[in-house]
């Protein structure tokens, strides 16, 4: 394991968002695509924007950017980021996912670029050193968080970055197949919160403005919004087939008083 002593001390398994529910699904084998060596979940428009920006930073500074991915799952996108030559910290709440990433990273030409941290993303972020992270990435994760949890996470990430830091996060969007098959539990300004038959609560975004305000509140400015569909998206193995719809935000960290 590449987890540091500080990370071990600060990391407690609290299960922000739906972490505990997801962990149970992983453990009993009902969540996640089959284990493969190479990435099976392809690049997205949001990931492409992040990769382009990090390459620009690499060209300008000659320093290898460090990306922290929250909720890395099986590690598909963490592997793709490492293949691009970036240093990657892949954070996952459940041990099954972490062990899978550790096996899969051996397929990389330079496995040392990718390390894993098991645990709750809020605690793992708080264990990172100031100015140690260039990019934060979370794909299809934060729609399971409350608005308060999202802002806490964004503020935690903000503390780890210098003024050139960037953040890329994606959410489920209106019209996703799972939105139609679940039960609406709450209507929010950003969209309905729907519970599926596995007990997972998700926000399906109909109005992106509140989510952009959350980022602004935490010290980020959204500079790019991306939308995309995935026709075959493997998650819980019993889910109905159908298009999965996503919206992503790419944001730049705004310099605040006290930054150096």
């Amino acid at each position: 394991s590449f987890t540091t002593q500080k990370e071990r001390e600060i990391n407690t398994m609290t299960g922000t968002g739906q972490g505990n529910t997801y962990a149970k699904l992983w453990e009993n084998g009902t969540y996640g695509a089959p284990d493969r060596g190479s990435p099976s979940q392809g690049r997205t428009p949001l990931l492409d924007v992040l990769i382009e920006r990090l390459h620009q930073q690499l060209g300008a500074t000659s320093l290898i950017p460090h990306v922290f991915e929250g909720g890395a799952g099986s590690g598909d996108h963490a592997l793709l980021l490492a293949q691009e030559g970036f240093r990657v910290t892949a954070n996952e709440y459940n041990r099954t996912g972490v062990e899978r990433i550790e096996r899969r990273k051996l397929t990389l030409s330079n496995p040392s670029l990718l390390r894993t941290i098991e645990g709750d993303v809020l605690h793992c972020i708080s264990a990172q050193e100031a100015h140690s992270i260039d990019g934060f990435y979370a794909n299809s994760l934060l729609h399971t968080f409350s608005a308060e949890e999202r802002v806490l996470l964004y503020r935690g990430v903000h503390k780890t970055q210098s003024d050139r830091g960037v953040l890329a996060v994606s959410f489920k969007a209106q019209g996703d197949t799972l939105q139609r098959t679940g039960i609406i539990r709450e209507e929010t300004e950003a969209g309905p919160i729907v519970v599926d038959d596995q007990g997972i609560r998700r926000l399906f975004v109909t109005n992106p403005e509140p989510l952009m305000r959350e980022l602004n509140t935490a010290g980020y400015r959204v500079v790019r919004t991306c939308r995309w569909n995935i026709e075959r998206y493997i998650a819980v193995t019993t889910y109905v087939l159908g298009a999965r719809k996503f919206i992503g935000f790419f944001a730049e960290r705004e310099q605040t008083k006290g930054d150096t």
Side-chain angles (χ1 to χ4, degrees), residues 12 35 73 112 119 126 166 171 188 249:
T12 57
D35 195 355
S112 67
S126 66
V166 294
F171 297 76
T188 72
F249 304 100

Side-chain angles (χ1 to χ4, degrees), residues 68-142:
F68 185 106
E69 180 179 5
S74 294
D76 286 341
H77 287 175
L79 287 165
L80 288 170
L81 286 162
Q83 286 173 355
E84 291 288 331
F86 308 130
R87 291 187 297 117
V88 181
T89 296
N91 161 242
E92 178 52 51
Y93 183 79
N94 75 90
R95 180 167 293 276
T96 302
V98 170
E99 291 175 346
R100 185 174 293 186
I101 297 170
E102 284 291 321
R103 291 193 300 271
R104 298 178 75 194
K105 78 175 188 179
L106 298 178
T107 64
L108 294 170
S109 59
N110 185 0
S112 67
L113 286 174
L114 175 57
R115 71 169 188 145
T116 58
I117 300 179
E118 178 186 356
D120 183 78
V121 63
L122 279 178
H123 293 281
C124 292
I125 276 292
S126 66
Q128 307 307 302
E129 300 294 336
H131 299 175
S132 65
I133 295 173
D134 299 293
F136 176 84
Y137 179 70
N139 179 57
S140 191
L141 173 69
L142 300 188

Side-chain angles (χ1 to χ4, degrees), residues 45-61:
L46 182 66
L47 183 61
D48 284 339
V49 171
L50 175 62
I51 288 172
E52 180 181 2
R53 172 61 68 88
L54 294 174
H55 275 305
Q56 290 173 354
Q57 180 179 324
L58 176 61
T61 66

Side-chain angles (χ1 to χ4, degrees), residues 155-170:
R155 286 175 172 162
V157 174
H158 194 276
K159 292 178 181 179
T160 72
Q161 295 183 318
S162 65
D163 58 3
R164 68 174 182 274
V166 294
L167 178 150
V169 293
S170 69

Side-chain angles (χ1 to χ4, degrees), residues 13 18-31 92-96:
M13 303 294 276
Q18 300 285 281
N20 290 317
T21 302
Y22 278 112
K24 292 176 183 177
L25 293 173
W26 275 91
E27 289 168 5
N28 64 28
T30 59
Y31 196 90
E92 178 52 51
Y93 183 79
N94 75 90
R95 180 167 293 276
T96 302

